[in-house]
Amino acid sequence: INECATPSKVSCGRFSDCWNTEGSYDCVCSPGYEPVSGAKTFKNESENTCQDMTFSTWIPPPGVHSQTLSRFFDKVQELGRDYKPGLANNIIQSILQALDELLEAPGDLETLPHLQQHCVASHLLDGLEDVLRGLSKNLSNGLLNFSYPAGTELSLEVQKQVDRSVTLRQNQAVMQLDWNQAQKSGDPGFSVVGLVSIPGMGKLLAEAPLVLEPEKQVLLHETHQGLLQDGSPILLSDVISAFLSNNDTQNFSSPVTFTFSHRSVIPRQKVLCVFWEHGQNGCGHWATTGCSTIGTRDTSTICRCTHLSSFAVLMAHYDVQEEDPVLTVITYMGLSFSLLCLLLAALTFLLCKAIQNTSTSLHLQLSLCLFLAHLLFLVAIDQTGHKVLCSIIAGTLHYLYLAAFTWMLLEALYLFLTARNLTVVNYSSINRFMKKLMFPVGYGVPAVTVAISAASRPHLYGTPSRCWLQPEKGFIWGFLGPVCAIFSMNLVLFLVTLWILKNRLSSLNSEVSTLRNTRMLAFKATAQLFILGCTWCLGILQVGPAARVMAYLFTIINSLQGVFIFLVYCLLSQQVREQYGKWSKGIRKLQTESEMHTLSSSAKADTSKPSTVN
């Protein structure tokens, strides 16, 4: 019986063949592979230890003349001639030792032009990754760590597929990824995850160019006024290279996280997570595609990437746009005055019983949201020193301003419903409807919006200069989207309200009180759209040659919103003015009574004194 004949019930495993013998069979390694165990034959897949016995070709880069580099590759070729799968561990250590010595004393490599140095670095990084990937397949399962005098480190783990994440730690870097990423599809054998830190590679990558994709260039121009072109980025961290037994390391479904320890960040520097992108000319450049900076502190940075390569953290010098001192003064003075007016308006809506109704309740909630938002803006918008605190401040501002906009929409809706019902003079149904609707919508809709934004990208709350939403990946549209939607709805309600009022005004004759109320309603609708809606559009229009003018208009009008609210809803209301008059008379009466009481007390004290007889 030929046990190896097709279909065969014998399973010898990968890199092996079945050989039929008289009355039995043997499993042997395929040509080019050798058993790590040393046994020439085996019987089943569980005994299979066949491994690749070839050594990856790694030769010097063409066109580079360096004796130091030639000696390094002579050592590599010598190790390749002596290669056996069982010696993989020793050969890995020998190669890393040779690389560590090369980068510690680069010799004539330092005299090469920068472009050739970049080509050498690119060749070393690419070749090292291939060699380590091939040799690590012959290692037994477990965790290995090697370190060398010049700082080169290797952390490597060999395991069968497991459903967990893997973390490799080194002195200056930590890598976290899903173990499933390391496994080749359909390969049940051992998988490898490796991380090598090469601090000496920074010498060869000095002044290496940084190429940003157009979207990130636009983002950096918006947030930092662009990177300066007269200086190369500074390598802030060690260069690390990550590799897997799986050759397909592009477009991971689950991103890989790197935590770098590095030198202190210098002020006016933008920290970027980058990878080395190999070019067609054999050289390369730093790039950011697929990598994002999750967070950075003075001496550490967290990066997240959807692919593997060689990575580092760069500092790029950016041009800081100096704040306009006039705009700063206008902002702080305007917001301070606005806070006072919002406080007075809120107290008026609370204490003036003559005007308390559904409309007043809407005004009160709007005033409270704007008061809290402006107050938080004044005292905490610049608190960027602590990342978590800054994110909380940004999220709170996001919520408060969205809540203010939502109450603006409810104000517009109430004005529309009021205008529509003028002909029947029946407000009870409107009031019942608004009382049921306003609090769940006014505070609930902004809460849901902010919760979705925070759950999807919490790290984008807080910018390097302000505790606000980052424009990266369109995150700012978590605020601008609802604002534009509310403004559009306000505009529609405003136009419909004006149309209703126009028809209503044309039908009025001698109804003077109704005419007066209707005109006031039209005025409030106009002020509503302009004060609480159009002003924010000026912020979106701060682009191009008119950006400075728009910035001044936006700052002046927006910082005085509280003043406008107090003017429109309090000072221009006859009932409120009458109530202010009553309060003023009451205060003056109290002052008079207090003065009379003081005089009376003084007179009694004088008459009670004993007279002196001479």
Side-chain angles (χ1 to χ4, degrees):
I1 300 175
N2 185 355
E3 286 86 348
C4 298
T6 306
S8 174
K9 296 181 180 180
V10 176
S11 177
C12 291
R14 62 176 186 169
F15 311 140
S16 63
D17 300 310
C18 179
W19 289 78
N20 188 55
T21 61
E22 186 176 350
S24 184
Y25 70 93
D26 287 321
C27 291
V28 298
C29 293
S30 301
Y33 295 87
E34 285 188 0
V36 176
S37 64
K40 296 298 183 182
T41 62
F42 51 95
K43 289 298 184 182
N44 52 56
E45 184 177 358
S46 63
E47 300 175 4
N48 184 337
T49 59
C50 296
Q51 295 290 352
D52 188 358
M53 61 178 290
T54 61
F55 188 83
S56 299
T57 303
W58 196 11
I59 59 176
V64 177
H65 304 288
S66 166
Q67 293 183 357
T68 308
L69 192 63
S70 296
R71 286 194 295 269
F72 167 76
F73 279 104
D74 288 343
K75 292 180 184 178
V76 172
Q77 298 305 318
E78 184 179 348
L79 292 169
R81 286 191 292 270
D82 298 335
Y83 172 70
K84 291 182 179 179
L87 299 175
N89 191 317
N90 295 333
I91 292 178
I92 287 175
Q93 295 188 59
S94 298
I95 289 176
L96 291 175
Q97 178 71 41
L99 180 65
D100 189 69
E101 293 171 353
L102 169 69
L103 297 176
E104 185 177 20
D108 56 359
L109 282 177
E110 293 184 309
T111 64
L112 297 176
H114 283 303
L115 179 60
Q116 280 202 349
Q117 290 185 19
H118 303 159
C119 293
V120 171
S122 185
H123 189 81
L124 289 174
L125 290 170
D126 194 30
L128 181 66
E129 182 180 331
D130 287 341
V131 168
L132 290 178
R133 179 185 293 112
L135 291 173
S136 60
K137 296 177 182 177
N138 300 316
L139 298 174
S140 56
N141 66 313
L143 181 65
L144 297 175
N145 288 285
F146 306 122
S147 59
Y148 301 90
T152 303
E153 287 186 80
L154 172 65
S155 298
L156 189 144
E157 186 169 354
V158 182
Q159 290 284 351
K160 281 206 169 183
Q161 186 172 11
V162 289
D163 188 15
R164 65 175 177 88
S165 62
V166 58
T167 301
L168 297 181
R169 298 182 181 276
Q170 297 181 345
N171 286 334
Q172 301 297 317
V174 178
M175 179 177 72
Q176 296 173 293
L177 80 160
D178 188 341
W179 189 267
N180 292 324
Q181 310 281 14
Q183 192 78 15
K184 284 185 179 180
S185 178
D187 185 356
F190 289 99
S191 297
V192 177
V193 177
L195 177 68
V196 57
S197 293
I198 321 167
M201 197 65 71
K203 298 176 184 178
L204 300 179
L205 293 174
E207 300 187 21
L210 169 64
V211 178
L212 297 173
E213 60 267 37
E215 295 81 3
K216 191 153 289 188
Q217 287 180 340
V218 172
L219 172 65
L220 286 173
H221 180 74
E222 291 176 352
T223 57
H224 296 88
Q225 296 304 301
L227 302 180
L228 293 181
Q229 301 299 316
D230 56 356
S232 299
I234 300 170
L235 189 61
L236 195 62
S237 71
D238 292 347
V239 177
I240 66 169
S241 187
F243 61 92
L244 306 176
S245 51
N246 183 3
N247 290 336
D248 185 11
T249 58
Q250 303 297 316
N251 300 317
F252 286 154
S253 57
S254 177
V256 184
T257 301
F258 298 94
T259 303
F260 289 89
S261 297
H262 50 67
R263 291 174 289 151
S264 295
V265 178
I266 303 172
R268 292 181 58 161
Q269 301 289 325
K270 172 64 178 175
V271 175
L272 298 169
C273 294
V274 296
F275 73 99
W276 186 255
E277 186 167 33
H278 300 276
Q280 294 181 350
N281 60 351
C283 299
H285 57 264
W286 294 116
T288 58
T289 306
C291 290
S292 58
T293 306
I294 303 303
T296 184
R297 294 186 179 181
D298 185 44
T299 58
S300 65
T301 297
I302 300 175
C303 305
R304 188 170 292 163
C305 299
T306 57
H307 57 83
L308 288 188
S309 179
S310 298
F311 301 93
V313 176
L314 294 182
M315 283 195 309
H317 193 60
Y318 61 83
D319 182 19
V320 177
Q321 182 184 29
E322 297 295 334
E323 290 190 0
D324 189 334
V326 178
L327 280 178
T328 303
V329 171
I330 292 173
T331 299
Y332 280 88
M333 290 185 63
L335 286 180
S336 299
F337 189 40
S338 189
L339 283 174
L340 176 62
C341 290
L342 286 169
L343 179 61
L344 292 175
L347 291 174
T348 300
F349 299 144
L350 279 172
L351 301 176
C352 186
K353 298 187 181 298
I355 62 168
Q356 287 182 353
N357 51 34
T358 303
S359 178
T360 307
S361 298
L362 293 169
H363 304 336
L364 175 61
Q365 303 307 318
L366 172 61
S367 301
L368 288 175
C369 289
L370 283 177
F371 179 85
L372 294 174
H374 289 346
L375 181 63
L376 186 61
F377 182 94
L378 277 178
V379 302
I381 190 67
D382 297 325
Q383 302 299 317
T384 57
H386 195 285
K387 175 66 176 176
V388 176
L389 177 61
C390 187
S391 298
I392 293 173
I393 292 170
T396 305
L397 283 172
H398 187 194
Y399 174 74
L400 289 173
Y401 278 120
L402 280 184
F405 272 98
T406 308
W407 286 106
M408 294 176 196
L409 177 62
L410 291 172
E411 290 260 19
L413 178 62
Y414 182 76
L415 287 172
F416 163 72
L417 293 175
T418 303
R420 193 191 66 174
N421 285 274
L422 275 174
T423 53
V424 296
V425 196
N426 179 17
Y427 302 106
S428 58
S429 60
I430 302 174
N431 291 334
R432 286 196 302 269
F433 173 74
M434 291 303 297
K435 285 178 180 179
K436 291 180 180 179
L437 177 72
M438 62 182 187
F439 285 103
V441 173
Y443 290 114
V445 171
V448 171
T449 304
V450 173
I452 293 173
S453 299
S456 60
R457 294 189 179 98
H459 59 281
L460 294 182
Y461 275 107
T463 71
S465 58
R466 293 287 185 270
C467 295
W468 186 235
L469 282 68
Q470 295 184 22
E472 187 176 349
K473 297 181 180 178
F475 189 65
I476 189 65
W477 284 99
F479 175 73
L480 294 180
V483 167
C484 292
I486 289 174
F487 174 75
S488 301
M489 289 186 282
N490 270 358
L491 181 61
V492 171
L493 290 172
F494 168 72
L495 294 174
V496 174
T497 301
L498 282 184
W499 177 258
I500 293 173
L501 293 178
K502 177 179 177 296
N503 294 334
R504 179 60 181 152
L505 288 169
S506 63
S507 66
L508 292 174
N509 295 317
S510 59
E511 301 174 72
V512 180
S513 62
T514 307
L515 178 62
R516 188 184 301 114
N517 292 337
T518 307
R519 283 176 174 170
M520 180 56 70
L521 194 63
F523 170 75
K524 286 184 178 182
T526 306
Q528 184 88 18
L529 184 73
F530 175 73
I531 298 169
L532 307 178
C534 292
T535 53
W536 287 89
C537 294
L538 297 174
I540 302 176
L541 297 175
Q542 293 183 38
V543 293
R548 192 172 183 82
V549 176
M550 292 297 178
Y552 271 91
L553 287 174
F554 172 76
T555 304
I556 293 170
I557 299 175
N558 218 42
S559 62
L560 294 175
Q561 279 188 345
V563 180
F564 294 146
I565 289 175
F566 182 63
L567 175 67
V568 171
Y569 294 120
C570 295
L571 295 183
L572 294 181
S573 171
Q574 182 178 354
Q575 290 176 305
V576 173
R577 291 198 303 273
E578 291 174 355
Q579 185 64 51
Y580 284 165
K582 292 179 182 179
W583 287 341
S584 179
K585 289 178 182 179
I587 292 172
R588 286 199 300 270
K589 183 179 179 181
L590 287 175
Q591 288 178 340
T592 303
E593 289 178 353
S594 177
E595 290 174 359
M596 292 295 294
H597 178 73
T598 302
L599 291 173
S600 175
S601 299
S602 299
K604 289 180 179 179
D606 290 340
T607 56
S608 63
K609 290 181 181 179
S611 59
T612 304
V613 179
N614 294 327

